[in-house]
Amino acid sequence: MMHLHKVYHRLCLLSVSSRSSPSIFSLSPPVIVKLRPVNAVRSLNSTSMSASKFRYLVPINAVAAEDSGGASNGSVSSSSSTPPPTESEDDLTLGVGYHLPPPEIRDIVDAPPLPALSFSPHRDKILFLKRRSLPPLAELARPEEKLAGIRIDGKCNTRSRMSFYIGIGIHQLMPDGTLGPEKELRGYPDGAKINFVTWSQDGRHLAFSIRVEEEENSSSKLRVWVADMETGNARPLFPSPDICLNAVFDNFVWVNNSTLLVSTIPLSRGDPPKKPLVPSGPKIQTNEQKNIIQVRTFQDLLKDEYDEDLFDYYATTQLVLASLDGTVKEIGPPTVYTSLDPSPDGKYLLISSIHRPYSFIVPCGRFPKKVDLWTSDGQFVREICDLPLAEDIPIAFNSVRKGMRSINWRADKPSALYWVETQDGGDAKVEVSPRDIVYTEPAEPLEGEQPAILHQLDLRYGGISWCDDSLALVYESWYKTRRTRTWVISPGSKDSSPRILFDRSSEDVYSDPGSPMFRRTPAGTYVIAKIKKSHDDESYYIILNGSGATPEGNIPFLDLFDINTGSKERIWQSDKEKFYESVVALMSDQEKGDLCLDQLKILTSKESKTENTQYYILSWPDKQACQITNFPHPYPQLETLQKEMIRYQRKDGVQMTATLYLPPGYDPSKDGPLPCLVWSYPGEFKSKDAAGQVRGSPNEFPGIGATSALLWLARRFAILSGPTIPIIGEGDEEANDRYVEQLVASAEAAVEEVIRRGVAHPNKIAVGGHSYGAFMTANLLAHAPHLFCCGVARSGAYNRTLTPFGFQNEDRTLWEATSTYVEMSPFMSANKIKKPILLIHGEEDNNPGTLTMQSDRFFNALKGHGALCRLVILPYESHGYAARESIMHVLWETDRWLQKYCVSNTSDVKADLDASKDDLSKGTTDSESKAVVSSGGGGAEMSDHECEGFHSITRSSLW
């Protein structure tokens, strides 16, 4: 099955139910706390202070009445007879309920989402998988169990916050390449939430799960349905309504065209275990064996025996074989099955499971793992492996688990297995040759038959692309050097020696030759497509699909590539003047026999700066393109926005790139410089040349997600999106040892460029980022206060001593690189931050390293030094924000911050620069308590850095 929507949609939304239930859940609004300047504090009495306590349980319906009416600060609109609120009155509303951003932002976020697409195996039908807009907060407020690194919705017995579709439309792909009329899939209940849409191998049936929101105390478990794709009629797979899907791990898979293997909730399962009122003893962990175990800051881990029992309760599965004729057969004992993988010929099942002893310090992916081979009717054949608990995987990049890993079926064989085993004990710091060995063997080897060595690698194994006995491509790479190699092997020939096809740096995008295109086999697997130039031609080629990175931007291409000689012939290339086109998939792969160039059909996407992505069928030999979609522009109000990829240079000579967006109709000569928002995310490089390469295309359509910085184009901001912030460590140098120096130099170059172009006002440039971009933001406000007037930092980590065993791409420990950890942490420089900084964080952030505590403690550090700052904690939100209430509030908070401390900023950049230099020379900073400090709820999906804020404020309020 080809999921085109994975290519098309740039933003993945968390799923929610089709109906919210505010009466069931108590939803806390954002919580806000402020500190008034010293001179203002004295004017407040006890009455005003008590009135400023934040309120809870604000009815959600009340939020809808709050409309900014286009007010510059996004505050509540007022009638013409009512004077606008003063600043203090506006501040008094900041802790009450959720807020809405101005209509020009809200309308873009609320635009109906476009459908996802899925093609049938024979490429004769297309599914339009219909989605709905942002979920309500009530969905996120559903109870969830945080167990072994995952979050489980116990009511549905699936992962919590799961996305879904609300309908399925079927379109016939006509012989001329056009789409037939839509036929709606029918038969399932109204309001059903659809998941796990899967084609049968012959394309005649569709399997999917549905769930329907029932009454509060009734079940909303998932049930498996099947649909006839000719009639569009759907029905339950199981006659009994008591058989429900367990979707905590793998859910179901087609074994053949008429049978599915389904993970079900055991019928004998009772009620969940109850937590003991009195613990049986203390919680104890020990390392009396003196093992060296270093792990990153994983979250949602098991905590005690009760958690272990609860994990087993929800994750234990009974496997069931279910036929379309209604036959049902249980196979295997109930246990925690994690993956189900039928062999290509449908004769065997590769079944993976996890078992005790569990761990309290690593997630379930490192629990003991057992892999067994069964026949397709559930008979045990043999044990492939039983791997022990893996708590001791080193933190160095390219370190892996000991023993067999990446166990899979060969895509080009009916039932042959392959896997890889490390020779360095899984420790990337151990020097050994070979480092990895790839093995293969039949499903049922003969007695005494040993696995065959397929290939040996000196770097770390990265996967295999199969073709046939004469050709397979094996990939290996090494992060520390950025080296990546592609090997050509002949799996069926012991006399043929492997040879290197490509040996290059993964950072060097200009040298990327592209990746092979794949064709679908009758068994439903995908192998490298071989193609002839003509029917009479005896030479075979493969097709390389490349992004085509160049100094002018990406120009995607297709090359016919001779695997033996290395010669290339370009058979297609994207238009580079106006459009950005890319190849999505091979569409002529359903034909039997050899593929010939004159019969080639491919699916392409095409877009421009102002035209959103549409899909085409491109057919040889005349390369005629037939458009098959006609999606409307998702935000026509920004259809004429201006976009330009710009290049400039850092003071050390490193070439930099960024994408500059300007509002529709903007003319710098007439309108003058604009307030500007710089939004970015740092990256590590080993080479200055690679860091300076251009990535992306000037002609790509500007996708605007629900928390995108591009939303502020509607507020007449200039947006500098993704300016490269390269942190370079050449040779033996570690990039992070000069992190702050290179970060500031990169930001200076970007700011100087937008000022030089006359599009950004020097005193009105804000900076922001999400996750590691929030970390960047905070550091820039601490170390480059002369560049930015304020900052917005979402879901960041600010104190690296709280992530002592590595973070991002840093694999040294705190004790190995103490000075680097300390110098990189903006928490340690909180006393230097004098510009307004808005911190936003999800209260349930489960991303390793970005615990909510990071923002809370950083805010307290800033407050302790009188910084102008605000903290917004979003109830129920994780690392990325999902609920409409949360997202709208994040946008309101951000817009208010930008309007107040960027658009209205009157400070002098030169004065800020002089003050910064003076502070550095003194080694101290002014920490008078003349700032606004707040804490509250709201959120957006960003990274772990904070931003700089305006250095002074005239009025505020005490909370």
Side-chain angles (χ1 to χ4, degrees):
M1 179 179 67
M2 176 177 59
H3 292 290
L4 177 56
H5 61 276
K6 291 182 179 179
V7 178
Y8 178 71
H9 292 288
R10 293 180 170 88
L11 177 67
C12 180
L13 302 178
L14 295 181
S15 101
V16 296
S17 75
S18 59
R19 292 175 291 177
S20 62
S21 304
S23 61
I24 298 175
F25 305 105
S26 175
L27 304 181
S28 301
V31 179
I32 300 171
V33 179
K34 293 179 165 183
L35 178 65
R36 181 179 283 279
V38 173
N39 60 347
V41 171
R42 296 179 184 140
S43 67
L44 292 176
N45 56 35
S46 59
T47 303
S48 64
M49 290 180 68
S50 63
S52 68
K53 300 287 187 182
F54 42 81
R55 297 108 168 134
Y56 290 92
L57 304 180
V58 176
I60 292 182
N61 292 340
V63 176
E66 181 185 322
D67 190 323
S68 69
S72 64
N73 64 356
S75 59
V76 182
S77 65
S78 56
S79 65
S80 58
S81 61
T82 305
T86 65
E87 185 177 29
S88 60
E89 289 172 338
D90 175 63
D91 287 338
L92 288 174
T93 70
L94 296 182
V96 183
Y98 287 90
H99 293 249
L100 294 172
E104 52 264 48
I105 289 179
R106 188 169 70 243
D107 291 346
I108 296 173
V109 177
D110 276 339
L114 298 176
L117 305 183
S118 176
F119 283 77
S120 67
H122 294 301
R123 308 296 191 251
D124 59 342
K125 294 182 180 67
I126 305 177
L127 300 182
F128 277 50
L129 304 171
K130 300 173 183 179
R131 306 181 299 133
R132 71 165 193 179
S133 53
L134 299 175
L137 187 62
E139 284 297 319
L140 273 65
R142 292 173 62 115
E144 61 182 0
E145 304 292 346
K146 302 172 182 178
L147 302 167
I150 62 177
R151 294 180 175 182
I152 299 172
D153 184 332
K155 190 176 180 182
C156 297
N157 218 108
T158 185
R159 299 291 179 96
S160 60
R161 312 180 184 211
M162 191 170 62
S163 61
F164 63 90
Y165 303 111
I166 58 175
I168 300 177
I170 308 170
H171 289 267
Q172 191 76 28
L173 187 59
M174 310 306 289
D176 62 357
T178 60
L179 289 185
E182 181 172 282
K183 178 169 58 179
E184 192 75 20
L185 201 67
R186 57 188 180 272
Y188 52 83
D190 292 339
K193 302 179 177 73
I194 302 170
N195 287 101
F196 310 127
V197 179
T198 310
W199 291 91
S200 63
Q201 294 166 8
D202 60 6
R204 296 177 58 189
H205 292 89
L206 197 70
F208 54 94
S209 74
I210 69 164
R211 54 194 159 111
V212 180
E213 287 302 314
E214 307 286 354
E215 298 299 325
E216 179 180 355
N217 295 322
S218 63
S219 170
S220 60
K221 300 290 191 298
L222 281 69
R223 298 191 64 201
V224 182
W225 282 57
V226 290
D228 185 301
M229 297 310 292
E230 289 302 319
T231 65
N233 293 327
R235 61 176 176 83
L237 174 64
F238 297 107
S240 171
D242 297 328
I243 303 178
C244 298
L245 187 66
N246 187 332
V248 171
F249 290 107
D250 214 347
N251 41 76
F252 58 82
V253 63
W254 289 94
V255 177
N256 54 48
N257 290 323
S258 61
T259 306
L260 290 112
L261 178 61
V262 185
S263 297
T264 68
I265 299 172
L267 293 174
S268 60
R269 189 178 78 172
D271 295 330
K274 293 184 178 180
K275 189 169 187 175
L277 295 177
V278 178
S280 59
K283 299 175 181 179
I284 298 173
Q285 298 186 54
T286 182
N287 191 36
E288 295 181 45
Q289 298 81 16
K290 298 184 179 180
N291 295 323
I292 297 177
I293 298 178
Q294 301 177 346
V295 295
R296 293 209 173 187
T297 47
F298 299 117
Q299 300 192 49
D300 300 338
L301 301 176
L302 299 177
K303 299 180 289 297
D304 50 31
E305 292 181 4
Y306 167 73
D307 276 0
E308 291 181 310
D309 293 341
L310 200 60
F311 176 74
D312 278 338
Y313 176 83
Y314 286 115
T316 296
T317 288
Q318 174 62 62
L319 297 182
V320 172
L321 285 172
S323 298
L324 297 181
D325 62 7
T327 304
V328 176
K329 176 187 176 183
E330 292 185 353
I331 61 172
T335 194
V336 184
Y337 297 106
T338 56
S339 69
L340 320 172
D341 191 7
S343 60
D345 61 4
K347 292 182 178 180
Y348 298 96
L349 301 172
L350 194 63
I351 305 294
S352 298
S353 60
I354 56 179
H355 60 81
R356 300 196 184 207
Y358 296 151
S359 171
F360 296 156
I361 64 172
V362 294
C364 57
R366 296 192 182 185
F367 288 178
K369 177 182 179 181
K370 193 169 183 285
V371 182
D372 291 328
L373 186 68
W374 298 358
T375 62
S376 59
D377 61 356
Q379 299 300 309
F380 178 82
V381 176
R382 65 187 177 102
E383 179 184 289
I384 304 296
C385 68
D386 191 351
L387 304 176
L389 178 65
E391 290 183 332
D392 59 348
I393 298 176
I395 62 173
F397 285 101
N398 290 122
S399 294
V400 295
R401 190 172 194 158
K402 301 173 187 176
M404 299 172 68
R405 69 182 198 277
S406 300
I407 306 170
N408 291 295
W409 297 107
R410 281 182 57 169
D412 63 329
K413 291 291 183 180
S415 53
L417 292 166
Y418 72 98
W419 68 91
V420 63
E421 294 185 30
T422 180
Q423 307 301 299
D424 56 13
D427 189 349
K429 292 185 177 180
V430 174
E431 295 294 336
V432 65
S433 178
R435 189 173 292 276
D436 274 337
I437 298 179
V438 184
Y439 295 92
T440 184
E441 70 176 1
E444 295 191 69
L446 300 175
E447 186 175 353
E449 184 180 1
Q450 296 298 311
I453 295 178
L454 189 66
H455 192 47
Q456 301 185 60
L457 301 165
D458 285 337
L459 308 181
R460 188 62 80 203
Y461 168 80
I464 299 180
S465 295
W466 298 96
C467 183
D468 51 32
D469 273 340
S470 67
L471 174 63
L473 300 180
V474 184
Y475 309 99
E476 64 174 340
S477 62
W478 198 247
Y479 176 76
K480 277 292 185 184
T481 60
R482 307 302 198 271
R483 189 178 187 184
T484 179
R485 295 195 294 200
T486 303
W487 292 82
V488 177
I489 64 171
S490 299
S493 174
K494 294 182 179 180
D495 299 330
S496 179
S497 298
R499 59 184 177 87
I500 292 178
L501 184 64
F502 304 121
D503 188 349
R504 47 182 291 274
S505 169
S506 59
E507 291 183 339
D508 183 9
V509 293
Y510 292 170
S511 70
D512 188 352
S515 302
M517 296 199 71
F518 296 86
R519 67 178 298 179
R520 190 178 187 277
T521 69
T525 62
Y526 285 85
V527 298
I528 297 173
K530 281 186 172 181
I531 191 168
K532 292 181 175 183
K533 288 186 177 180
S534 67
H535 289 284
D536 299 331
D537 191 356
E538 299 201 1
S539 299
Y540 285 93
Y541 303 85
I542 66 172
I543 307 174
L544 294 180
N545 180 12
S547 59
T550 73
E552 288 74 43
N554 289 1
I555 307 173
F557 63 84
L558 288 180
D559 280 348
L560 276 186
F561 183 73
D562 189 318
I563 205 78
N564 296 313
T565 66
S567 62
K568 300 179 183 179
E569 177 185 344
R570 186 140 301 180
I571 60 173
W572 176 86
Q573 183 169 284
S574 170
D575 170 72
K576 62 181 179 181
E577 299 302 323
K578 178 182 178 182
F579 293 101
Y580 175 76
E581 302 168 284
S582 62
V583 174
V584 180
L586 193 62
M587 295 295 287
S588 50
D589 62 350
Q590 79 278 9
E591 302 292 339
K592 294 182 179 179
D594 297 331
L595 292 179
C596 290
L597 183 59
D598 61 0
Q599 296 175 326
L600 184 65
K601 287 185 179 181
I602 59 174
L603 178 69
T604 66
S605 65
K606 185 176 182 180
E607 59 196 273
S608 73
K609 298 177 185 178
T610 58
E611 299 169 77
N612 57 310
T613 306
Q614 306 293 351
Y615 292 93
Y616 295 77
I617 302 291
L618 191 64
S619 302
W620 268 252
D622 56 1
K623 302 181 185 178
Q624 180 179 358
C626 181
Q627 184 173 341
I628 61 172
T629 62
N630 188 26
F631 296 125
H633 198 292
Y635 20 89
Q637 58 270 58
L638 293 179
E639 186 172 0
T640 58
L641 63 79
Q642 303 171 53
K643 174 186 176 183
E644 180 185 359
M645 288 187 71
I646 62 174
R647 302 194 70 180
Y648 49 97
Q649 186 169 290
R650 200 165 73 177
K651 61 184 179 182
D652 60 358
V654 176
Q655 291 295 316
M656 316 283 284
T657 61
T659 305
L660 177 63
Y661 293 91
L662 299 170
Y666 170 72
D667 184 344
S669 63
K670 297 179 181 178
D671 303 327
L674 298 170
C676 178
L677 176 58
V678 178
W679 201 272
S680 192
Y681 192 96
E684 292 80 11
F685 292 87
K686 292 298 294 181
S687 159
K688 289 183 178 180
D689 290 340
Q693 292 183 349
V694 177
R695 292 162 173 83
S697 167
N699 296 325
E700 286 181 274
F701 182 72
I704 302 180
T707 57
S708 171
L710 298 187
L711 289 166
W712 275 270
L713 289 168
R715 300 285 278 164
R716 306 297 294 176
F717 270 71
I719 308 295
L720 191 66
S721 178
T724 49
I725 310 288
I727 310 300
I728 304 167
E730 293 188 308
D732 295 331
E733 181 187 22
E734 294 287 348
N736 284 338
D737 288 346
R738 294 196 302 119
Y739 173 84
V740 171
E741 172 192 339
Q742 297 190 66
L743 177 71
V744 172
S746 298
E748 285 177 337
V751 168
E752 288 171 2
E753 179 64 17
V754 291
I755 293 174
R756 184 191 68 80
R757 288 171 170 263
V759 298
H761 193 293
N763 299 341
K764 299 182 179 182
I765 301 177
V767 62
H770 179 85
S771 194
Y772 206 54
F775 177 71
M776 168 205 76
T777 299
N779 268 306
L780 285 174
L781 293 183
H783 302 291
H786 58 290
L787 296 178
F788 303 104
C789 62
C790 66
V792 179
R794 301 172 177 173
S795 297
Y798 310 103
N799 183 353
R800 286 305 167 193
T801 67
L802 297 177
T803 55
F805 291 108
F807 58 90
Q808 198 71 2
N809 292 318
E810 177 60 68
D811 62 0
R812 295 172 295 174
T813 71
L814 169 64
W815 300 272
E816 293 171 326
T818 304
S819 61
T820 297
Y821 273 66
V822 172
E823 290 168 7
M824 287 183 69
S825 297
F827 179 87
M828 303 301 179
S829 299
N831 60 322
K832 299 179 181 179
I833 295 179
K834 300 301 180 184
K835 295 295 183 68
I837 180 167
L838 173 63
L839 305 176
I840 301 175
H841 217 120
E843 192 172 33
E844 305 293 335
D845 193 330
N846 64 347
N847 184 54
T850 57
L851 291 79
T852 308
M853 173 182 63
Q854 287 272 4
S855 286
D856 184 63
R857 291 188 176 180
F858 186 48
F859 170 73
N860 285 320
L862 293 167
K863 183 170 62 174
H865 290 87
L868 198 168
C869 53
R870 180 176 176 85
L871 171 63
V872 179
I873 301 296
L874 302 172
Y876 302 112
E877 294 290 354
S878 186
H879 190 59
Y881 319 137
R884 183 179 186 273
E885 293 92 332
S886 301
I887 287 174
M888 290 297 181
H889 189 85
V890 166
L891 300 176
W892 177 82
E893 290 278 1
T894 306
D895 187 69
R896 172 187 172 273
W897 205 254
L898 293 175
Q899 296 295 329
K900 194 170 186 177
Y901 301 116
C902 181
V903 174
S904 301
N905 182 41
T906 58
S907 65
D908 186 350
V909 170
K910 184 178 185 302
D912 288 339
L913 178 59
D914 293 341
S916 174
K917 291 179 178 178
D918 187 53
D919 284 341
L920 289 175
S921 66
K922 294 177 182 178
T924 61
T925 57
D926 180 21
S927 59
E928 289 185 17
S929 179
K930 296 189 177 181
V932 173
V933 181
S934 22
S935 121
E941 187 174 353
M942 309 304 287
S943 323
D944 42 0
H945 275 55
E946 349 176 323
C947 333
E948 196 179 323
F950 184 46
H951 74 290
S952 64
I953 180 171
T954 57
R955 287 179 291 179
S956 66
S957 59
L958 176 63
W959 290 80

